[in-house]
């Protein structure tokens, strides 16, 4: 048998370091041993930056991350610039649907990986459940990028589900609206009157600093936006 | 005893060459090919040798690789004699005791070995003598003798130079300075004084050559391949049955590995069909392993890719590559981190075993790592590696990390139609672009950043990149070819 991680020790959640975002997530952090879905609309494109934010936080937590990139379009210099250690980034090239589902489940089941990022379109209820169980066993985080249009509405296995949409930027910053559509186990302080919560995430086009902007977002649930700023650490000096 | 020359390459066959070793900033000749001019000798610098002979080829000396190939040759020569001993750097002893009955005489034995080595295109000098030392001496001097007796040895060795006794370089130089050019002359000297003058080794070598002292030879251990196989009376087809058989074979193989203290690095499963061709599946491992269930899990991934219409009549499992594995328990007593690393290695093995064996798959590897390469061309700034250990720790190059690059770079830039500010169509900033029918009105554009390909890449190579943000907030990386004015979408900041 392969080495089994103890379930309690392996349930390692992580915080992204952007307080407003962490506040918004169920349990105040991105829960380990679970699948998180990032939804995107066709007009917008993949939420790669957001996925990378999660992947980096997971990597800082220890362990390697896997990224399924069948078309070889993930641009590694930009990934390295965002603070990912390339030696701990396993690139998968699974394009067929059945082999991809198998590989995802294998990756999630592995205690050596702290995050698995993939773009998945159609996901049946059984497959979603299978991925969730695999993640529970491995203790890592599954980040699935899915089309908003093909999300399952009736069945639901992910720990949290986010919608990421681009928002009009300015010459200095690129912006996204990040909306928590659904989350298991919300905090008790969560405002019950609202069904969703929106956050405006900004990335500086020059310095790549990511921060949450107070504009448009729900101030009552996330009181301290101003302190949420944080620069990405791995920029080369000199 | 035989002497194998350096492995020869085709382009080296008719040209003089030297092997060099770099010491400090000097390149020193350590080996000279037989057809090189006489004025080139080991110990001189490469520059000096070049000055004497202009067309000299030089190759780096690789003593470790030489030793490995010598050992491989030694194992190969076990087909002639069970006792094979290496004498680095370039000699192998074969114990010929008793082999004449198998090969029909010592002459036949020597001829067979010579023929086999010639088949491998190895230039060898073979000599058979009653003692290992004498055989070495005779072979080193190219005397291909065979079947001389112990009494004839002093006479046979007498005309040979003292170097043939495997003496230290210092001793042979001293002997030649003293005017002693043959072993005969050396033997004529008073024995008691030799050790005092030249050290104890010289007496030992003389005695070993003449049979007065025993020379212990360290024979190579005999390695038989680790194989397990099972044959059936009729063809079996069901995957369950095949899985059961493979499980048994794995158990046998794991036991053999445990006996040798080794772990498998590569396994080959061979399935023989009654009429069809033999199906072979190879599985590689990232680290040596002899854990039965781990191996079976890997092979199970392979079995899922198996296809046959008629079933199999024989299944065999062979370890094609193995490495020493110290303690199986390391994974159990190691820390959490080590366990996680091992789990990751197993994961990569499983993914590779299952995905790379898939016949439908195009030839790209299923699991990769990436590393950064120093290049100012965005598409050349990274490449893939096949293991985490191969990833170079990236140096903080400007091109790699400091520049603003999109997270998604299209493998082929896509042609787009761009509208630029009207007053200058060649130099202007883009104001909107149309990509596959969708119009993106640009709110902000930054640029241009000019990137030019290398001079040998033809005419259309100067690209002016713009980092643009459309009104919806999507950010793209588009470029204009300066020579033609055509626009392309190259990347997306998602």
């Amino acid at each position: 048998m392969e080495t089994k991680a103890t379930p309690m020790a392996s349930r390692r959640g992580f915080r992204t370091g952007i307080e407003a975002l962490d506040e918004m997530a169920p349990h105040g952090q991105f829960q380990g041993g679970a699948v998180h879905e990032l939804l995107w609309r066709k007009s917008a494109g993949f939420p790669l930056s957001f996925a990378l934010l999660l992947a980096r936080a997971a990597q800082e937590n220890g362990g390697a991350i896997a990224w399924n990139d069948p078309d070889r379009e993930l641009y590694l210099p930009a990934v390295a610039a965002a603070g990912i250690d390339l030696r701990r980034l396993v690139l998968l090239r699974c394009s067929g649907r059945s082999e991809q589902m198998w590989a995802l489940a294998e990756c999630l089941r592995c205690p050596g990986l702290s995050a698995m990022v993939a773009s998945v379109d159609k996901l049946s209820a059984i497959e979603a459940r299978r991925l969730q169980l695999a993640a529970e066993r491995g203790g890592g985080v599954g980040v699935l990028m899915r089309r908003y249009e093909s999300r399952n509405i009736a069945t639901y296995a992910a720990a949290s589900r986010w919608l990421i949409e681009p928002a009009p930027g300015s010459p200095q910053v690129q912006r996204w609206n990040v909306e928590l559509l659904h989350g298991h186990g919300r905090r008790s302080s969560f405002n019950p009157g609202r069904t969703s919560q929106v956050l405006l995430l900004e990335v500086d086009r020059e310095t790549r600093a990511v921060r949450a902007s107070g504009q448009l977002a729900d101030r009552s649930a996330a009181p301290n936006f101003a302190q949420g700023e944080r620069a990405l650490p791995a920029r080369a000096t000199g | 005893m035989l002497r194998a020359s350096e492995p020869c390459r085709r382009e080296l066959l008719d040209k003089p060459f030297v092997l060099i070793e770099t010491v400090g900033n000097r390149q020193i000749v350590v080996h000279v090919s037989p057809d090189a001019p006489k004025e080139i000798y080991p110990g001189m610098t490469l520059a000096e040798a070049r000055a004497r002979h202009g067309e000299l080829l030089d190759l780096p000396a690789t003593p470790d690789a030489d030793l490995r190939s010598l050992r491989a040759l030694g194992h190969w020569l076990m087909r002639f004699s069970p006792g094979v001993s290496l004498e680095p750097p370039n000699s192998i002893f074969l114990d010929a005791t008793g082999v004449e009955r198998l090969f029909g005489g010592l002459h036949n034995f020597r001829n067979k070995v010579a023929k086999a080595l010639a088949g491998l295109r190895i230039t060898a000098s073979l000599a058979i003598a009653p003692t290992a030392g004498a055989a070495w001496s005779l072979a080193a001097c190219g005397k291909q003798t065979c079947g001389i007796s112990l009494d004839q040895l002093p006479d046979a060795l007498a005309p040979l130079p003292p170097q043939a006794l495997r003496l230290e370089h210092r001793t042979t130089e001293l002997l030649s300075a003293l005017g002693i050019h043959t072993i005969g002359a050396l033997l004529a000297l008073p024995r008691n004084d030799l050790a005092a003058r030249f050290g104890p080794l010289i007496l030992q070598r003389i005695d070993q050559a003449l049979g007065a002292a025993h020379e212990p030879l360290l024979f190579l251990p005999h390695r038989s391949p680790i194989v397990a196989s099972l044959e059936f009376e009729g063809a079996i087809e069901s995957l369950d049955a095949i899985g059961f058989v493979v499980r048994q074979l794995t158990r046998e193989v794991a036991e053999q590995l445990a006996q040798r203290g080794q772990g498998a690095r590569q396994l080959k499963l061979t399935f023989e069909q009654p009429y069809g061709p033999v199906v072979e599946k190879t599985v590689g491992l990232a680290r040596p392993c002899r854990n039965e269930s781990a191996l079976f899990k890997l092979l199970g991934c392979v079995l899922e890719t198996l296809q046959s219409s008629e079933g199999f009549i024989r299944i065999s499992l062979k370890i094609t590559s193995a490495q020493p594995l110290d303690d199986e328990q390391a994974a159990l007593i190691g820390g959490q981190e080590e366990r996680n690393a091992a789990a990751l290695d197993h994961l990569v093995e499983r993914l590779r075993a299952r995905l790379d064996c898939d016949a439908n798959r195009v030839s790209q590897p299923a699991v990769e790592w990436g590393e950064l390469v120093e290049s100012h061309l965005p598409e050349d700034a990274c490449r893939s590696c096949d293991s985490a250990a191969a990833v170079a720790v990236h140096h903080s190059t400007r091109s790699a990390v400091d520049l603003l690059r999109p997270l998604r770079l299209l493998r082929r830039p896509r042609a787009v139609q761009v509208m630029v500010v009207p007053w200058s169509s060649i130099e202007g900033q883009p104001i909107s672009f149309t990509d596959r029918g969708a119009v993106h009105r640009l709110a902000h554009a930054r640029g241009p950043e000019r990137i030019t390909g290398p001079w040998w890449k033809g005419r259309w190579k100067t690209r002016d990149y713009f980092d643009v943000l459309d009104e919806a907030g999507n950010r793209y990386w588009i470029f204009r070819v300066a020579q033609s004015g055509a626009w392309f979408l190259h990347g997306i900041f998602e």
Side-chain angles (χ1 to χ4, degrees):
Chain A
M1 282 305 293
E2 85 188 53
T3 47
K4 266 189 205 159
T6 49
M8 283 318 288
S10 62
R11 284 250 176 166
R12 33 184 206 273
F14 59 86
R15 296 171 67 87
T16 59
I18 297 168
E19 279 191 25
L21 187 63
D22 293 333
E23 286 285 315
M24 222 165 109
H27 300 292
Q29 64 170 2
F30 284 84
Q31 201 187 332
V35 175
H36 301 271
E37 290 186 357
L38 313 181
L39 304 183
W40 52 283
R41 287 189 205 272
K42 186 168 182 260
S43 59
F46 295 109
L48 284 186
S49 298
F50 196 78
L52 200 64
L53 193 71
L54 300 188
R56 199 199 63 225
Q59 205 184 43
E60 277 174 7
N61 220 15
I65 53 177
W67 198 301
N68 187 22
D69 175 32
D71 301 325
R72 297 168 173 268
E73 285 186 339
L74 188 69
Y75 190 53
L76 295 176
V79 172
I84 297 279
D85 179 2
L86 290 186
R87 279 170 301 174
R88 293 191 289 145
L89 172 66
V90 183
L91 298 167
L92 300 181
R93 315 288 188 198
C94 301
S95 44
R97 183 179 153 72
S98 61
E99 75 177 27
Q100 191 190 9
M101 290 315 301
W102 176 81
L104 291 192
E106 283 290 309
C107 287
L108 284 174
R109 207 172 288 137
C110 172
L113 284 179
S114 56
M116 160 81 221
V117 186
S119 163
V120 176
D121 241 10
K122 291 252 166 52
L123 199 64
S124 73
I126 293 173
E127 286 166 332
R129 186 79 190 123
R130 185 185 298 153
L131 290 184
Q132 175 64 30
L133 288 173
E136 273 171 25
R137 189 164 152 207
V141 170
V143 178
L144 299 184
M145 297 183 281
R146 302 184 59 194
R147 281 272 295 282
Y148 182 76
E149 291 81 3
S150 61
R151 73 195 190 279
N152 315 46
I153 298 170
T155 60
Y156 190 76
S160 67
R161 174 177 273 181
W162 305 75
L163 173 65
I164 290 104
E165 284 180 301
S170 74
Q172 269 305 318
V173 290
Q174 185 183 5
R175 294 194 177 97
W176 291 275
N177 271 324
V178 177
E179 187 179 350
L180 178 65
L181 295 183
H182 195 110
H184 284 320
R186 286 184 178 165
R187 285 144 46 87
S188 54
S189 67
F190 192 80
N191 182 357
R194 292 182 64 99
T195 52
S196 68
Q197 220 181 355
V198 182
L199 180 74
L200 195 66
L201 210 62
E202 293 187 342
V203 60
D204 192 298
R205 282 170 83 181
E206 281 291 312
T207 63
R208 290 197 205 91
V210 182
R211 61 180 175 265
S213 154
Q215 195 188 350
L216 278 183
D218 185 359
R219 283 181 175 278
S220 64
N224 41 3
F225 281 122
Q227 292 90 41
E229 179 166 345
R230 166 178 182 187
L232 295 178
R235 270 173 54 82
T237 50
Chain B
M1 213 287 316
L2 59 93
R3 283 163 64 90
S5 75
E6 307 291 339
C8 52
R9 288 201 236 152
R10 195 169 287 276
E11 74 264 22
L12 296 178
L13 281 179
D14 49 351
K15 290 198 184 118
F17 67 93
V18 293
L19 298 181
I20 56 167
E21 188 184 2
T22 306
V23 181
N25 54 0
R26 298 194 320 151
Q27 293 171 307
I28 295 176
V29 174
V30 291
H31 190 90
V32 181
S33 69
D35 52 350
K38 286 279 174 284
E39 62 265 22
I40 297 171
Y41 50 86
M44 69 198 313
T45 61
L46 178 63
E48 201 181 337
R50 277 268 166 71
R52 296 186 184 188
H53 188 86
E55 293 171 2
L56 206 58
L57 289 174
D58 63 286
L59 298 166
T62 52
D64 294 344
D66 291 350
L67 187 60
R68 274 201 299 277
S69 40
L70 191 72
R71 184 168 298 134
L73 182 63
H75 279 293
W76 188 81
L77 283 169
M78 277 187 182
R79 64 197 59 200
F80 295 108
S81 157
V84 175
S85 166
L86 304 184
E87 180 80 7
N90 56 2
S91 314
I92 296 176
F93 291 115
L94 294 186
D95 185 4
T97 314
V99 296
E100 65 265 46
R101 295 187 52 176
L102 288 171
F103 289 90
L106 280 179
H107 273 282
N108 271 345
F109 171 67
R110 198 194 63 188
N111 292 345
K112 283 220 164 100
V113 175
K115 206 170 164 188
L117 287 172
L120 292 177
R121 300 207 299 137
I122 289 173
T123 321
S125 163
L126 302 163
I128 298 180
T131 66
W136 197 94
S137 308
L138 292 163
C141 299
K143 302 251 188 281
Q144 311 230 356
T145 53
C146 185
I148 52 175
S149 68
L150 204 55
D151 308 334
Q152 296 164 319
L153 269 185
D155 292 336
L157 293 182
L160 305 181
Q163 284 92 324
L165 284 175
R166 289 179 288 163
L167 298 174
E168 289 167 333
H169 186 62
R170 200 159 38 89
T171 315
T172 54
E173 275 196 340
L174 189 58
L175 285 171
S176 90
L178 293 174
I180 300 167
H181 297 298
T182 62
I183 293 178
L186 186 63
L187 291 179
L189 294 175
R191 180 180 164 92
N192 290 344
D193 299 341
L194 279 180
R197 186 72 182 80
F198 302 105
L201 183 70
I202 189 163
L203 284 185
Q204 191 191 343
R205 289 297 189 208
I206 290 174
D207 288 348
Q208 284 174 348
L210 298 179
H214 181 66
E215 179 171 2
L217 294 177
L218 190 63
F219 292 121
L220 288 177
H222 190 72
R223 298 189 303 196
S224 57
I226 302 179
V227 189
S229 71
L230 210 57
E231 236 171 287
F232 319 110
E233 288 188 357
I236 63 164
E237 285 176 26
S238 99
L239 198 59
D240 286 343
I242 294 174
F244 181 75
V245 170
V246 171
R247 173 120 226 170
Q248 265 195 333
L249 297 181
T250 315
R251 188 172 306 141
E252 280 179 38
V253 163
E255 273 170 18
Q256 292 188 44
L257 282 169
Q259 280 171 8
R260 298 191 192 190
Q262 287 183 322
R265 284 299 305 277
Q266 198 183 42
L267 302 141
K268 190 161 87 176
L269 262 177
T270 313
F271 301 90
E272 287 175 26
Q273 309 187 40
Y275 304 106
V278 174
V279 180
E280 285 187 347
K281 301 276 182 185
T282 308
V283 183
L285 285 93
R287 57 173 73 190
C289 169
R290 60 164 176 259
N291 183 336
E292 182 195 325
S293 61
L295 289 176
F296 179 67
K297 210 177 258 184
L298 266 183
L299 295 172
C301 296
V302 168
L303 292 184
E304 291 178 24
T305 64
L306 203 62
Q307 288 171 341
S308 168
S309 52
E310 47 185 346
F312 304 105
I313 53 165
R314 183 189 156 95
I315 299 178
S316 62
L317 175 62
K318 183 178 182 181
I319 308 288
T320 43
S321 168
Q323 265 184 0
L325 179 64
D326 285 339
D327 39 3
E328 189 84 320
Q329 306 303 317
L332 295 178
I333 56 177
Q336 180 74 33
E337 222 160 88
E338 203 165 302
R339 233 173 303 167
N340 283 349
L344 182 61
D345 279 347
H346 287 312
L347 169 72
V348 171
E349 285 158 8
R350 274 202 305 281
L351 291 173
R352 284 196 170 144
R354 158 87 179 253
L355 300 176
D356 284 345
C357 283
D358 201 341
N360 305 329
R361 201 181 165 80
V362 278
S363 61
Q364 67 170 355
V367 186
E368 291 180 325
W369 279 260
E371 70 174 342
L372 305 184
V373 184
E374 199 148 353
S375 167
H376 70 284
L377 288 177
E379 60 271 25
D380 289 347
C382 58
R383 67 170 166 235
S384 45
C385 321
D386 58 355
S387 75
V391 175
V393 185
H394 60 80
H395 25 267
S396 60
T397 58
R398 185 177 171 276
S399 55
V401 179
D402 245 9
L403 295 170
L404 289 178
R405 294 288 182 252
L407 268 178
R408 186 147 79 100
L409 194 78
L410 303 181
R411 290 182 72 190
R412 289 181 66 85
R414 198 155 67 211
V416 290
Q417 285 78 48
V418 175
M419 202 179 283
V420 297
V421 282
W423 50 84
S424 163
S425 63
I426 302 296
E427 296 290 318
Q429 299 260 328
I431 51 175
S432 79
F433 76 92
T434 310
D435 173 32
R436 297 191 294 198
V439 180
H440 300 269
R441 293 167 58 80
L442 302 181
H444 311 282
R446 286 166 168 253
E449 177 191 351
R450 175 160 286 194
I451 296 177
T452 305
W455 58 265
W456 58 87
K457 279 286 173 72
R459 287 182 62 203
W460 320 106
K461 63 185 182 205
T462 306
R463 295 174 252 171
D464 286 336
Y465 278 93
F466 289 87
D467 171 358
V468 298
L469 204 56
D470 74 3
E471 284 176 349
N474 296 305
R475 188 172 162 202
Y476 300 96
W477 208 40
I478 60 176
F479 71 85
R480 170 178 52 201
V481 178
Q483 285 88 353
S484 66
W487 285 87
F488 295 90
L489 172 68
H490 201 179
I492 305 163
F493 294 84
E494 288 176 323

